[in-house]
């Protein structure tokens, strides 16, 4: 019996085999995930209908299961709104944060280090997020 609130069997299985520097992608409802699969990635579709499940809910669950050390989003055009990036930063706290040009971002998703792509029903634009898995720090190792 699992004690974590995240109980999706495929997500838990892939996260369990994802080590340090593995990449987990939280995809919005518009990302063509079928064209984004890399050689080591598993795709999970949680996009039951527009808005369900949203990217922030999925991120909250991922943060309850594994440590994250970095995050990457796609650069948005100057005129576009990407308030969700601010919400991500707030939820993620002190992690490395980066933005990438669109095509480089897509290549990053297809990278061999990507182990999991979770497609959400998120409707906000520029909501795609690449997370880098960190390490579980032991109590006596809190200084690094």
């Amino acid at each position: 019996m699992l004690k974590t609130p995240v109980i999706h069997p495929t997500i838990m299985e892939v996260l369990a085999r994802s080590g340090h520097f593995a990449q987990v992608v939280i995809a919005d409802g518009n990302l063509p995930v079928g064209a984004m699969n890399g050689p080591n990635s598993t795709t999970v579709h949680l996009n039951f209908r527009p808005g369900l499940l949203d990217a922030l809910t999925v991120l909250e669950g991922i943060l309850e299961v594994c440590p994250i050390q970095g995050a990457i989003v796609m650069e948005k055009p100057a005129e576009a709104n990407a308030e969700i990036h601010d919400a991500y930063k707030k939820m993620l706290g002190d992690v490395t944060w980066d933005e990438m040009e669109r095509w480089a971002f897509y290549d990053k998703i297809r990278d061999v280090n990507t182990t999991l792509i979770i497609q959400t029903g998120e409707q906000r634009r520029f909501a795609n997020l690449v997370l880098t898995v960190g390490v579980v720090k032991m109590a006596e190792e809190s200084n690094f």
Side-chain angles (χ1 to χ4, degrees), residues 73-83 85 99-100 125-126:
V73 293
M74 183 190 308
E75 289 176 340
K76 65 171 189 64
E79 67 279 0
N81 178 1
E83 291 176 2
H85 292 183
E99 296 182 4
M100 294 182 102
R125 295 192 62 214
F126 303 101

Side-chain angles (χ1 to χ4, degrees), residues 42-77:
T42 298
T43 300
V44 173
H45 299 278
L46 297 181
N47 51 335
F48 178 67
R49 60 189 275 189
L52 295 177
L53 289 168
D54 67 81
L56 295 174
T57 300
V58 173
L59 176 58
E60 180 181 15
I62 296 298
L63 292 173
E64 292 174 356
V65 175
C66 66
I68 300 299
Q69 70 180 33
I72 304 169
V73 293
M74 183 190 308
E75 289 176 340
K76 65 171 189 64

Side-chain angles (χ1 to χ4, degrees), residues 2-141:
L2 297 174
K3 207 171 174 178
T4 174
V6 177
I7 59 171
H8 192 285
T10 305
I11 290 174
M12 292 300 291
E13 185 267 328
V14 176
L15 289 176
R17 64 178 165 80
S18 297
H20 190 208
F21 297 120
Q23 294 177 168
V24 174
V25 177
I26 298 176
D28 64 29
N30 296 308
L31 187 73
V33 295
M36 297 289 142
N37 284 329
N40 299 314
S41 65
T42 298
T43 300
V44 173
H45 299 278
L46 297 181
N47 51 335
F48 178 67
R49 60 189 275 189
L52 295 177
L53 289 168
D54 67 81
L56 295 174
T57 300
V58 173
L59 176 58
E60 180 181 15
I62 296 298
L63 292 173
E64 292 174 356
V65 175
C66 66
I68 300 299
Q69 70 180 33
I72 304 169
V73 293
M74 183 190 308
E75 289 176 340
K76 65 171 189 64
E79 67 279 0
N81 178 1
E83 291 176 2
I84 195 165
H85 292 183
D86 294 330
Y88 287 154
K89 287 178 183 178
K90 184 176 179 181
M91 288 180 74
L92 288 164
D94 188 27
V95 302
T96 304
W97 181 266
D98 199 11
E99 296 182 4
M100 294 182 102
E101 179 275 329
R102 178 182 181 182
W103 302 109
F105 183 79
Y106 290 160
D107 288 342
K108 185 73 170 167
I109 292 172
R110 292 183 193 99
D111 189 274
V112 297
N113 291 322
T114 298
T115 56
L116 179 61
I117 300 172
I118 304 170
Q119 180 141 52
T120 68
E122 181 62 61
Q123 296 300 293
R124 288 173 278 197
R125 295 192 62 214
F126 303 101
N128 298 305
L129 177 67
V130 176
L131 301 168
T132 302
V133 175
V135 296
V136 176
K137 296 179 182 175
M138 306 304 283
E140 63 274 7
E141 298 177 327

